[in-house]
Amino acid sequence: MKIPVIETERLRLLQPSVECFEVYRDFYTDAEASKMYGGPINEEQVWARLKADLGSWYLLGFGVWVIQEKSSDKLMGTCGFWQGKSWPRELTWWVMPEARGQGVATEASKAALDYARKHYQWPSLETYMNDDNHTARALVEKLGGKKVRRESFSDGLKRDIYQFPSL
């Protein structure tokens, strides 16, 4: 399978690869940076996360891209679509702390949503987050996401499900 590369004005969305391990490690071993994403985790778990992100493309036909800043080639995080076993499919992202507040997650998320609208026959585009992830909720609302329901998840948490306009 050829994983597409997406380019925006400032960013390039690339397939996960071994070259991305360092940014994954730096993010997921940082307790503060990764607290909303199951972190901190150890390096072996980070390696497994990177392999899962790449494997999703081959198992499900979609996944997350690694966000690269075009001007510097610096890797800044990930953005794309994720689906755990028996979980709803969702738009997801994370960015390194030093890249936050610069519109990186917004620009990457818009590109991922646009790609999905054009290339997948999904009936809807959704996302969800923990109730205390106010930053993610603000971004979802900025992207036009509307709360459509609340679900209980296998980890014991309830989350609001947001749906994006299909355009």
Side-chain angles (χ1 to χ4, degrees):
M1 161 177 224
K2 181 162 174 42
I3 299 171
V5 173
I6 299 174
E7 295 208 22
T8 69
E9 183 179 331
R10 298 180 301 151
L11 307 174
R12 192 174 293 116
L13 305 183
L14 307 169
Q15 77 175 36
S17 68
V18 69
E19 290 81 15
C20 304
F21 179 74
E22 187 176 311
V23 73
Y24 270 70
R25 183 199 60 219
D26 292 350
F27 177 79
Y28 280 109
T29 60
D30 180 324
E32 183 61 27
S34 64
K35 69 182 178 185
M36 296 295 176
Y37 301 88
I41 58 179
N42 66 43
E43 285 196 16
E44 192 60 37
Q45 292 168 311
V46 172
W47 182 242
R49 180 72 54 98
L50 173 58
K51 292 189 308 181
D53 283 354
L54 178 59
S56 176
W57 285 99
Y58 293 91
L59 291 174
L60 302 174
F62 62 86
V64 298
W65 290 272
V66 176
I67 304 167
Q68 182 185 55
E69 183 180 47
K70 284 180 173 181
S71 64
S72 68
D73 290 339
K74 183 176 181 177
L75 302 179
M76 307 171 82
T78 67
C79 183
F81 298 94
W82 180 88
Q83 185 172 22
K85 187 84 171 132
S86 74
W87 287 54
R89 181 184 52 246
E90 70 158 336
L91 172 71
T92 188
W93 65 88
W94 58 260
V95 293
M96 294 298 293
E98 62 270 18
R100 294 178 181 167
Q102 301 172 32
V104 171
T106 301
E107 190 171 330
S109 294
K110 284 180 180 178
L113 288 167
D114 288 347
Y115 183 88
R117 288 179 184 114
K118 291 176 187 167
H119 297 281
Y120 299 126
Q121 301 300 310
W122 296 339
S124 67
L125 297 169
E126 298 178 330
T127 196
Y128 45 86
M129 73 289 303
N130 293 340
D131 287 345
D132 55 353
N133 195 343
H134 305 292
T135 304
R137 188 174 311 277
L139 174 57
V140 167
E141 290 172 353
K142 180 179 180 179
L143 293 169
K146 302 288 185 209
K147 181 180 168 183
V148 292
R149 65 186 183 283
R150 188 160 175 89
E151 285 188 22
S152 295
F153 286 72
S154 60
D155 63 359
L157 296 179
K158 289 185 175 184
R159 293 176 177 88
D160 293 335
I161 308 295
Y162 283 76
Q163 187 172 60
F164 296 101
S166 50
L167 299 179

